[in-house]
Amino acid sequence: YLGLFRSVRFAESFTQAALFLCVRRRGPYHNAGKALEDVCKFAEAHGLTTKSTKCAGLYFDDPKTVKAEELQWMAGLLVHRNEEQKCLAISQKDLAEHDMIIRVMPQTKVVETVFPIKLVPVSFMLCAMKVYAAFCKQDKYKLQSGSYEVYDMDAREIRVCFPQENFGSFCP
């Protein structure tokens, strides 16, 4: 079951506060997968755990209105709480040399849905097509910043979040 026939339901929730070790990019959103691999390699080289770590993406533009090469996004990993100090100890020079940044993601009220990961990359494509179309059709919540996707490979799910506060934290 790939989620193809699953109805998309939104619920109010809260994200957890986290450090986001990531890259900021312009270009097609499908390039985020390669960027996530690069961030994980960088994290491992600095002694950070990547096993059982949730990855995430921030997507700032609507691909229906913005050319693919101009889409703005960030992709990276959410640092384990017990490794935050180790992450913050990475030098600014080393971060800059590898085009990495550390962004603080505050606990935030969001509207979210969860989509299953059954087959990579098919699940990611289906998620994008179904979830964003469903969000555009509803009128209870508004999109006032970028969307925030959390990829939990252990739970085999994508958590797609639409922030309802702290909008500046979810903008480029």
Side-chain angles (χ1 to χ4, degrees):
Y1 154 52
L2 296 172
L4 184 61
F5 301 108
R6 180 181 176 273
S7 61
V8 177
R9 293 187 182 97
F10 297 101
E12 293 182 9
S13 184
F14 286 87
T15 62
Q16 293 181 352
L19 287 184
F20 185 38
L21 176 63
C22 61
V23 293
R24 172 183 266 154
R25 296 280 189 265
R26 279 188 185 269
Y29 285 154
H30 67 261
N31 290 345
K34 170 69 171 99
L36 288 171
E37 291 175 18
D38 294 343
V39 174
C40 286
K41 287 178 189 171
F42 178 84
E44 288 170 354
H46 288 82
L48 297 172
T49 302
T50 57
K51 187 176 174 76
S52 297
T53 299
K54 294 175 184 166
C55 292
L58 280 170
Y59 302 95
F60 303 116
D61 298 307
D62 182 349
K64 291 179 183 173
T65 61
V66 177
K67 292 179 184 176
E69 61 273 4
E70 295 176 12
L71 294 170
Q72 300 175 80
W73 50 273
M74 300 172 96
L77 61 100
L78 301 172
V79 177
H80 285 282
R81 271 241 191 271
N82 62 346
E83 293 189 322
E84 287 180 349
Q85 291 306 314
K86 190 187 299 185
C87 181
L88 292 170
I90 299 171
S91 73
Q92 289 299 314
K93 181 180 183 237
D94 203 10
L95 288 166
E97 285 175 359
H98 292 88
D99 200 23
M100 302 279 166
I101 59 173
I102 299 170
R103 188 167 182 154
V104 176
M105 303 303 292
Q107 179 179 345
T108 300
K109 181 180 176 182
V110 297
V111 175
E112 72 171 12
T113 192
V114 176
F115 198 85
I117 299 174
K118 299 293 182 185
L119 185 62
V120 177
V122 175
S123 295
F124 291 86
M125 292 184 294
L126 284 174
C127 176
M129 291 186 312
K130 290 193 57 121
V131 171
Y132 290 92
F135 191 82
C136 289
K137 287 180 185 172
Q138 61 81 41
D139 59 6
K140 184 174 180 182
Y141 305 103
K142 301 296 178 215
L143 184 60
Q144 299 181 53
S145 65
S147 61
Y148 181 46
E149 297 182 6
V150 178
Y151 314 112
D152 187 338
M153 296 309 284
D154 290 341
R156 306 293 295 170
E157 65 185 23
I158 303 166
R159 183 177 174 204
V160 183
C161 305
F162 300 95
Q164 299 299 298
E165 64 182 14
N166 297 326
F167 302 115
S169 297
F170 299 92
C171 288

